[in-house]
Amino acid sequence: MINNISLKEIGKMLQDAESILLFPHENADGDALGSCVALCTTLRNEGKRASVYVGEKPADYISFIAGDCCVTENLREENPDICLCVDCSEESRIPGRLNAYNSGKVRLTVDHHLATGGFGDYYYIDEKAAATGELIYDIIREMGAEMSRPAAEALFVAISTDTGNFRHSNTTPKTHRMAAELLEAGIDRNRVMVELYENVDLRQLKVKAAALDEMEIFAGGKGAITRVSRDMLDGAGASDEHGETVIDMLRDIKGVEIAAVLKEKSDGRIKVSLRAKSAGRVNEIAAKFGGGGHVKAAGCTLEMSPEEALETMKREITHSLEGISGGNK
Amino acid sequence: MINNISLKEIGKMLQDAESILLFPHENADGDALGSCVALCTTLRNEGKRASVYVGEKPADYISFIAGDCCVTENLREENPDICLCVDCSEESRIPGRLNAYNSGKVRLTVDHHLATGGFGDYYYIDEKAAATGELIYDIIREMGAEMSRPAAEALFVAISTDTGNFRHSNTTPKTHRMAAELLEAGIDRNRVMVELYENVDLRQLKVKAAALDEMEIFAGGKGAITRVSRDMLDGAGASDEHGETVIDMLRDIKGVEIAAVLKEKSDGRIKVSLRAKSAGRVNEIAAKFGGGGHVKAAGCTLEMSPEEALETMKREITHSLEGISGGNK
């Protein structure tokens, strides 16, 4: 946690302002967009001029929560009282919008990614929060504002998407209590679940099936590896994004402790995604090749042939697994 | 809700007893076993003789919570003070154990399936509970007993498995608040998630891929249908159970409103699983063929050729979809 202001003070600052411009990071995910939309809706209900200033159209799967909150360059407020960067504390993640951010009379940052530090005049970064949505929820409470149904729905999207719908290890008792209160605000739970999780692109399933077909299980069943080639993507009429969930399928296989997917990029390089289930430390593997990440989720980029990349990763994973005694049982 | 006793009275009755035998339904799922184990553990901590009397070994995916609670015929208590049937209110679902149940001095039933009515001397059936685990949680609280870590873990398994880890529409604010309190009892959340959801049988994935390969999207993208043939199962070295999740994959496809899977049984009959996403009513389709179920999940059995079954179901689903105006958007 690093901060030079409290959430209560942020709440008061927002209540005292007349115009607020909110900045999600580029390629806004459910947490960034949901947090911004929830706060924007609440601020408007409190009689303020508020908008979410986006660099690009929100991704399809979360666009249902955007309402009329989002604005692009031409329609944004000039020199607002407050500019607030949400779910992001690095200037590099709001490219093209940094001048607009700096035009605010006061600049704030609220985030749960502990990166190089806050930016702007005031910052509140709590890496223990499962989602930035949890911090925005607290700010709305500190403001004394009513939790409207659209705001509750946007915050539910924020915490659901950032926790894998309460599955990932960042989920805390607070996350569940917040979910309970958001449900009580009257959100259409079934619609949210359908939009987020029953809206799978058929191309994604086809890429998964093709990747499964080429998968190798090795290291006595504890390693799983496959590739997502340009041919597979072309065969499914798919693009890079449709191969993103292949790695989860591999990690979820019974007995597998470390999983890897080699994704061939259009420039010939190979992007490696790595996941550990229980005891593995895949950030150490990624670091050997100039990559990085967390203990259980990491990645790196290789400049070698697909065959060489496959053998290299199998060797590294086997070596890493030898250092693990038991796994999860 | 039907009941002739309160949860508070059940709690008192358990506190006053010395020996209690718990009965999960046959093919115990996470809710039945988790509820039994949680209550058994708690009763033992309160100084009572308690066991979970099972007809068969618990399924692999939930066996990690069983501890030493489960007993079979030879080791069960004779004429216990209380016999309690859990997550089941039909005599037919404890076959082979009904005499043992009736040997109890008092016979209780706690369930969340509203079937033909309670059985035994006292019953408490609340169909609004997301899982029977929620009712057992309340009983433990009414008993004034401490929520131990193993009991909390078993109850977490109960509510997680019966709600699709907080995804299904039966999830309520109470479910989330209970999850928060169970996490605070110190359960190993990561282990539970790995055991329940990162333990997928490879054969299941192979059957899914084969079923995807034969899938047809019809009715303007709103219908999806496929089959799970004996050849597919044999090709993957799989058995019937490995085809059970194919239907979820189809329902989750973007745009699909009604999904069907035709499963060829070893006796030549065809078991049909049906799912609706938003506006569809698949119980009405199933009922036409002597089947049944809920609005969004139903099934029936057909005695016809696979080709005829496919055409019949496509026709019925198309007809049913014509009665729906828009779907979820």
Side-chain angles (χ1 to χ4, degrees), chain B residues 158-192:
Chain B
I159 61 169
S160 173
T161 53
D162 249 31
T163 60
N165 203 52
F166 312 100
R167 213 183 110 174
H168 300 159
S169 56
N170 57 347
T171 310
T172 67
K174 178 176 173 161
T175 321
H176 278 293
R177 290 209 172 86
M178 184 176 146
E181 294 195 22
L182 296 175
L183 289 179
E184 283 166 346
I187 68 178
D188 185 345
R189 206 184 162 289
N190 192 53
R191 174 171 171 251
V192 172

Side-chain angles (χ1 to χ4, degrees), chain B residues 12-327:
Chain B
K12 175 151 192 339
M13 211 175 265
L14 291 168
Q15 278 295 22
D16 290 344
E18 284 180 9
S19 57
I20 301 104
L21 202 54
L22 302 163
F23 292 71
H25 56 71
E26 62 174 337
N27 299 320
D29 57 9
D31 189 21
L33 187 70
S35 294
C36 283
V37 167
L39 190 53
C40 176
T41 305
T42 305
L43 290 167
R44 288 183 182 177
N45 286 346
E46 297 288 303
K48 293 150 194 327
R49 297 195 306 280
S51 296
V52 180
Y53 176 31
V54 293
E56 69 283 306
K57 203 168 139 285
D60 278 350
Y61 78 103
I62 45 172
S63 60
F64 73 103
I65 53 165
D68 62 351
C69 286
C70 296
V71 298
T72 46
E73 177 63 19
N74 296 337
L75 292 165
R76 73 175 169 87
E77 174 102 19
E78 300 278 350
N79 303 106
D81 293 336
I82 294 177
C83 281
L84 171 50
C85 189
V86 179
D87 195 37
C88 159
S89 42
E90 291 180 74
E91 296 190 348
S92 63
R93 295 197 70 198
I94 53 167
R97 288 174 292 152
L98 193 56
N99 284 343
Y101 178 74
N102 285 327
S103 80
K105 290 169 196 153
V106 178
R107 298 164 305 165
L108 300 175
T109 302
V110 175
D111 191 15
H112 74 133
H113 301 93
L114 200 55
T116 47
F119 76 118
D121 305 304
Y122 299 101
Y123 48 86
Y124 190 95
I125 303 167
D126 182 359
E127 78 283 6
K128 291 218 163 55
T132 296
E134 288 190 6
L135 306 174
I136 299 299
Y137 175 86
D138 287 341
I139 291 172
I140 292 173
R141 291 302 190 207
E142 293 288 1
M143 285 172 63
E146 196 204 344
M147 182 67 70
S148 67
R149 196 195 51 72
E153 204 158 284
L155 284 181
F156 197 89
V157 168
I159 61 169
S160 173
T161 53
D162 249 31
T163 60
N165 203 52
F166 312 100
R167 213 183 110 174
H168 300 159
S169 56
N170 57 347
T171 310
T172 67
K174 178 176 173 161
T175 321
H176 278 293
R177 290 209 172 86
M178 184 176 146
E181 294 195 22
L182 296 175
L183 289 179
E184 283 166 346
I187 68 178
D188 185 345
R189 206 184 162 289
N190 192 53
R191 174 171 171 251
V192 172
M193 291 294 126
V194 167
E195 293 284 356
L196 293 180
Y197 305 113
E198 298 177 17
N199 232 337
V200 178
D201 195 299
L202 187 52
R203 291 169 289 187
Q204 188 179 311
L205 293 178
K206 287 183 176 166
V207 173
K208 266 188 175 175
L212 182 69
D213 205 42
E214 296 217 359
M215 183 184 68
E216 284 182 56
I217 299 282
F218 62 100
K222 290 187 174 178
I225 194 165
T226 192
R227 61 198 192 103
V228 173
S229 66
R230 301 317 298 174
D231 279 355
M232 279 183 200
L233 293 176
D234 294 345
S239 51
D240 284 338
E241 67 187 281
H242 299 114
E244 291 301 322
T245 58
V246 172
I247 186 68
D248 296 327
M249 173 178 72
L250 264 61
R251 180 206 52 206
D252 288 353
I253 294 171
K254 187 174 185 163
V256 169
E257 285 294 329
I258 295 184
V261 175
L262 311 181
K263 293 175 279 188
E264 299 173 20
K265 311 309 288 181
S266 48
D267 63 5
R269 291 188 305 167
I270 294 174
K271 213 176 143 191
V272 183
S273 294
L274 291 156
R275 295 289 184 277
K277 186 176 285 177
S278 300
R281 302 180 66 85
V282 288
N283 55 340
E284 293 173 1
I285 299 174
K288 284 193 185 177
F289 301 93
H294 305 282
V295 173
K296 290 188 165 35
C300 57
T301 300
L302 303 178
E303 302 201 23
M304 50 179 84
S305 73
E307 295 71 26
E308 202 184 341
L310 188 78
E311 290 312 313
T312 302
M313 278 298 134
K314 280 175 67 175
R315 192 172 58 238
E316 291 294 334
I317 291 168
T318 303
H319 179 68
S320 177
L321 283 166
E322 282 163 1
I324 304 170
S325 55

